[in-house]
Amino acid sequence: SFIVAAAGVLILSGPASGQTAAPDYLRTGIERIQAGDFQPGIMMLDEVVAPWSRADAATMARAHAYRAQGFLGLHQPENARAAVLLALKASPHISVTAADYSADVVRLFDEARRPASAVSPEIAAAVAEQTWNYRDAFAGYVAVYQGLADPAPAEDDRRLREKIIALARRLDPPPAIPQDARTHYAKAEQLLEAQAVLGGAGTASLEAAAGELQRAIRSAPWWGDAAWKLATVLQRLQRVDAALTNLNL
């Protein structure tokens, strides 16, 4: 038997003999997903598809399929599509029917099996992330982020930066801050110094500083110093929602 704590720690308890029972990650993960407990369910199924797993291809495919269902429950369609592609890679003829999976998962498999189906760069990055290829996933998400419209849609900006920041923390050595980002950051600091001298007449300097910091973040979306500085500038410009987003990031 086992318990999943809130922080995601797996605590095993063995039988009276003192031997530790091996948890059935597939069965329990599926049960969690079907009960709507998506994050712990995905964590269980991750053990089935991990590089160290000894599960056969059919079992891995089934785990990926239910991971897709969990990701849809968490409103992460890109991750769900990536899990579908990994399921098909593990077992191309996996049977996915409404008797076992949600209608949305069945639809994703139908779409993925169409000959003309294309894999977007963000889904390709999600595939790399879900196969523990963190450096390629990081590079892929950064490319997607830098390809967004300017200004970027708020939801896309937040979602992609969250992914990039999480991956940057996994990389060793950590990603370097590009010189282009540092140049924009330095310009922002100069503008903020000018605003401090001008006082109330320096609103234009605040706006310009925010623009430079946004360019710095576009170049290095994982850079915490730039996000923090932008949050303070946006707060002074009374753009509270955007300031909070950057503060959280």
Side-chain angles (χ1 to χ4, degrees):
S1 61
F2 53 92
I3 301 170
V4 177
V9 177
L10 186 66
I11 305 172
L12 303 179
S13 62
S17 65
Q19 295 178 346
T20 303
D24 184 344
Y25 292 111
L26 180 66
R27 176 181 59 79
T28 307
I30 291 173
E31 289 174 354
R32 292 272 187 171
I33 297 295
Q34 291 176 332
D37 204 1
F38 301 118
Q39 192 63 57
I42 291 170
M43 290 170 60
M44 291 287 176
L45 296 172
D46 282 348
E47 293 294 328
V48 180
V49 302
W52 53 84
S53 171
R54 296 183 179 180
D56 59 31
T59 300
M60 285 193 172
R62 193 171 178 220
H64 279 304
Y66 276 104
R67 288 173 72 253
Q69 189 158 311
F71 282 127
L72 286 177
L74 294 173
H75 307 291
Q76 298 176 12
E78 295 80 11
N79 282 337
R81 288 184 172 88
V84 166
L85 292 176
L86 289 170
L88 291 171
K89 182 178 180 180
S91 182
H93 304 295
I94 180 176
S95 176
V96 181
T97 66
D100 299 310
Y101 302 93
S102 70
D104 287 336
V105 170
V106 174
R107 176 181 56 79
L108 286 183
F109 271 88
D110 288 342
E111 291 176 355
R113 282 176 162 140
R114 292 173 187 165
S117 61
V119 178
S120 73
E122 184 171 354
I123 294 174
V127 167
E129 182 181 4
Q130 292 180 36
T131 52
W132 284 262
N133 190 347
Y134 295 132
R135 196 161 292 279
D136 283 357
F138 173 81
Y141 284 130
V142 169
V144 173
Y145 179 75
Q146 292 175 341
L148 293 175
D150 189 10
E155 177 58 29
D156 291 339
D157 178 90
R158 181 196 58 77
R159 183 187 73 257
L160 288 167
R161 285 169 68 190
E162 282 180 349
K163 290 177 179 291
I164 291 165
I165 290 166
L167 286 165
R169 296 174 67 185
R170 291 180 175 271
L171 299 182
D172 185 20
I177 304 300
Q179 183 56 49
D180 179 64
R182 294 188 181 279
T183 298
H184 287 299
Y185 188 91
K187 289 180 179 178
E189 288 194 313
Q190 292 169 4
L191 288 162
L192 291 172
E193 290 173 2
Q195 194 276 338
V197 173
L198 295 173
T203 303
S205 293
L206 280 180
E207 293 282 1
E212 291 295 340
L213 290 167
Q214 286 163 346
R215 294 182 189 97
I217 290 171
R218 180 60 69 103
S219 180
W222 64 93
W223 193 10
D225 289 350
W228 172 266
K229 182 80 73 174
L230 178 59
T232 63
V233 173
L234 292 173
Q235 183 180 21
R236 292 167 68 182
L237 290 169
Q238 299 185 357
R239 298 178 192 171
V240 178
D241 290 343
L244 284 173
T245 295
N246 281 278
L247 183 62
N248 288 332
L249 288 166

